[in-house]
Amino acid sequence: MKKTRVLFLIISFIIGALPQGWAENVLSDKEILKVSQLSYQAEGGFSGVQSYGVILSCVNGQVSLLKTIHDPRFPSDKAILRQIGHMATEDYLKLWNTLDRHGIFKTANAPKPKMDIMDEFTVRFHAKVGERHHQFDVYGISRPEAARYFSLQKLIDNSVQMQSLWTVHNETAKKFGQTARQ
């Protein structure tokens, strides 16, 4: 029974349909559009990629986006891949409202692993709206007990189309004979 409930909550979280009262919305669209920032930075891992991340910033309704992947196996002029862009205000608000429902400002650090996970990425999330600021860390984002945090990362990635930068990375990896990561 307990596994069924956990599975239900994970699936609900992924599709954005948490049970009523799970997390209360505390952010207004006006606050979010005035000044806000959302980011994550992943470091470590076994793939050869040193780090990757996303930064979304909004000031007075203008949403800016930066996606990066740092792969030191590539020549120095290609080691850091970046995509700079913008996001539609409606999509940005939708992302924030979903994150607000999931309690982004109440999320604690993930429990530290009980064994060595040097081959896993450590991810630091950062959320800021106005004066409200929150940060939390996840050691080993791929661990089953980190599924909730992995879902947050995927929600952000899907919203900013992070896959497009991974495609560029994979094409670059093929060009230089490296193994691609996705």
Side-chain angles (χ1 to χ4, degrees):
M1 179 66 176
K2 187 176 182 181
K3 286 182 182 180
T4 304
R5 177 158 171 71
V6 170
L7 184 59
F8 168 75
L9 290 173
I10 290 170
I11 292 170
S12 296
F13 181 82
I14 291 169
I15 64 171
L18 286 174
Q20 190 78 348
W22 181 262
E24 63 184 61
N25 294 15
V26 294
L27 304 174
S28 74
D29 290 354
K30 185 177 178 182
E31 286 178 294
I32 294 167
L33 293 176
K34 184 174 181 185
V35 61
S36 60
Q37 183 175 9
L38 177 65
S39 65
Y40 78 80
Q41 179 73 24
E43 296 180 334
F46 59 89
S47 65
V49 171
Q50 183 174 333
S51 64
Y52 62 93
V54 171
I55 301 172
L56 279 160
S57 294
C58 182
V59 177
N60 296 324
Q62 298 296 314
V63 184
S64 300
L65 165 64
L66 173 63
K67 302 181 279 188
T68 60
I69 299 174
H70 180 204
D71 191 334
R73 300 172 300 167
F74 296 168
S76 60
D77 64 327
K78 305 268 191 247
I80 300 176
L81 300 172
R82 293 183 182 93
Q83 282 183 347
I84 299 170
H86 298 350
M87 178 182 249
T89 305
E90 300 80 30
D91 294 335
Y92 187 68
L93 288 172
K94 181 179 177 185
L95 173 60
W96 265 109
N97 289 326
T98 302
L99 292 170
D100 190 22
R101 278 197 323 270
H102 296 300
I104 189 79
F105 281 102
K106 298 176 185 176
T107 304
N109 290 334
K112 291 192 178 183
K114 294 180 171 93
M115 60 184 185
D116 177 25
I117 58 162
M118 296 301 289
D119 62 343
E120 294 278 348
F121 281 98
T122 297
V123 181
R124 171 164 285 165
F125 290 88
H126 174 89
K128 182 179 187 306
V129 174
E131 297 299 316
R132 190 175 304 147
H133 173 270
H134 186 63
Q135 183 173 300
F136 55 95
D137 298 329
V138 184
Y139 307 95
I141 191 106
S142 303
R143 299 179 298 136
E145 56 270 31
R148 178 175 193 273
Y149 304 92
F150 183 77
S151 296
L152 285 173
Q153 180 187 338
K154 290 304 164 200
L155 181 63
I156 295 167
D157 284 351
N158 290 341
S159 295
V160 301
Q161 290 117 21
M162 183 65 171
Q163 185 58 43
S164 66
L165 187 58
W166 282 114
T167 299
V168 171
H169 172 266
N170 293 344
E171 290 169 0
T172 305
K174 287 177 189 172
K175 183 176 178 182
F176 294 107
Q178 301 292 329
T179 304
R181 184 246 183 237
Q182 279 204 0

